[in-house]
Amino acid sequence: MSTIGTVSFYTLGCKLNYSETSAIGRQFEAAGYREVPFREGADVVVINTCSVTEFADRKCRNVVRRALGGNAGARIIVVGCYAQLKPDEIANIEGVDLVLGAAEKFRILDFIDGIGGGAGKGMVRAGEVREADRFVSSFSFGDRTRSFLKVQDGCDYKCTFCTIPLARGASRSSTVEQIVSDAEAIAARGVKEIVLTGVNIGDFGNGTAVIEGQRPRKEALFVDLARALDKVAGITRFRISSIEPNLCTDEVIEFVANSERFAPHFHMPLQSGNNKQLAQMRRRYRRELFAERVSHIRKVMPHCCIGVDLIVGFPGETEEDFLETYRFVQELDITYLHVFTYSERANTPAADMEGAVPLSERRRRNKMLGILSEKKRRAFYERHLGEVRPVLLEKSKTEGLLHGFTDNYVKVEFPADDSWVNHLVPMELTAVGADGLVVAEVADSVSVSGR
């Protein structure tokens, strides 16, 4: 390495991206670079991008321009999903020096010396996505409280709206031994919570083929990984970021129900509560299976938090179709919704489907489901008032006030100083505040010295 200096990072998108940014950051640290905050004059700026929606693409372009404004003369490097899907488009943004695709981003230091800040089109090193066939371990250390640990990457599913297989390649995963080692390294840094992340984490060990009966079970699946992680010393809480409903088996649900450290919290993408749309999306289940999963979770974990992803405005979604989805999720005993407004993505089958829904109508449907989500979240919070639940405390932006999440993902606020950060404290949930957070107080007179 001929040039050593400072580096800063900006991450867009999912928890998986945050874990990978941290892994890249450790490469720079090992090479002698010093990390500085974004827009504080770094020699190298790395932007890790998302491309789930058109809005994500626009945000990436804006961040590139912000990086240029705050880092005069810096070398700007763009990696991530947007970089794999549209490398030449990014390379033409004034000031971008290097664009790295999915197979190249973890070799970023190999390319540093070949670029220099200046005018002209940026250098592109983005091969075919099929070349991204190697799993690279990644985990984040963004704060003292939690870490995002990558356990799987890529996806073999062919959902008609999704670009992720084009951006990240085929499904692949780490080994149980490597992930346990990563978790132990995280625990050694004092982090209390690990969030397991990936593109399709339930497919760990190519679990889809086993679960769908295409081949016998010969290697570790996601539930086996979870059992191994449950034995890692020093980690107070594991949380599953998101899992497909067809892969959220009874075995997984019952393991979480009986685990002391896996949080009672599932996030499952539904995408539509209408079987017609589910078929057009090429989802691998019908809504009846989703309802069965929710029912089983509630049976064994009545207190469990259940989050759901939805897409509104998919091509051909009529008002009647949308209302069917609305009524379906309204009746489900779930906690909250993440609602995405459908946007056309190049090279996906859905982009060529008939029956485009006007953008204004997509936004209206999004707003309706957003209101429903807030009602459900508040009802869930109120259901647990008066209970004592463990809260992992973390910093907030307000001086003298800490935030935190219970095991079942109720967000609380608590007046305390920073000495309480990263401690798991039994707290009584007393009321829902005006801001929608739950007001909590320490249970059983737990003191700072005794927590």
Side-chain angles (χ1 to χ4, degrees), residues 185-376:
I186 293 168
R189 294 203 179 192
V191 174
K192 293 294 191 294
E193 179 176 310
I194 290 178
V195 181
L196 304 181
T197 187
V199 174
N200 186 359
I201 65 174
D203 196 40
F204 179 88
N206 293 313
T208 299
V210 175
I211 291 167
E212 295 186 350
Q214 298 169 18
R215 69 175 191 176
R217 182 171 179 165
K218 293 184 177 179
E219 57 186 297
L221 302 184
F222 178 73
V223 70
D224 302 307
L225 170 65
R227 290 190 180 109
L229 288 172
D230 211 28
K231 300 174 184 177
V232 174
I235 299 299
T236 300
R237 181 185 291 169
F238 289 93
R239 200 178 292 277
I240 300 170
S241 62
S242 179
I243 186 167
E244 291 284 319
N246 53 305
L247 302 179
C248 188
T249 62
D250 288 350
E251 190 177 15
V252 170
I253 293 168
E254 286 161 14
F255 162 76
V256 172
N258 292 297
S259 167
E260 292 186 0
R261 290 192 290 170
F262 267 74
H265 177 196
F266 285 95
H267 189 100
M268 296 187 293
L270 170 61
Q271 310 306 14
S272 176
N274 180 297
N275 282 333
K276 182 184 83 173
Q277 261 80 52
L278 288 176
Q280 291 174 333
M281 292 175 173
R282 294 184 194 162
R283 300 293 287 164
R284 302 169 83 100
Y285 53 86
R286 294 171 64 84
R287 72 179 196 168
E288 288 79 10
L289 181 139
F290 197 95
E292 289 173 7
R293 295 290 189 260
V294 171
S295 177
H296 189 63
I297 292 169
R298 281 281 169 253
K299 180 180 178 181
V300 297
M301 285 176 284
H303 58 293
C304 186
C305 177
I306 304 175
V308 175
D309 285 341
L310 284 170
I311 296 173
V312 294
F314 188 80
E317 183 188 63
T318 65
E319 177 69 4
E320 183 179 339
D321 293 336
F322 167 71
L323 291 176
E324 185 177 341
T325 289
Y326 187 94
R327 287 189 292 267
F328 179 70
V329 295
Q330 184 178 39
E331 293 170 5
L332 279 179
D333 190 2
I334 57 178
T335 309
Y336 64 88
L337 306 171
H338 282 173
V339 187
F340 299 88
T341 300
Y342 172 76
S343 62
E344 290 77 3
R345 312 303 292 142
N347 301 314
T348 61
D352 298 322
M353 289 182 178
E354 297 181 352
V357 179
L359 187 56
S360 60
E361 180 61 22
R362 301 180 206 181
R363 290 171 175 161
R364 183 187 70 86
R365 295 174 186 179
N366 188 311
K367 185 175 182 179
M368 283 182 64
L369 284 171
I371 293 171
L372 177 62
S373 177
E374 287 309 306
K375 290 179 178 178
K376 283 186 168 290

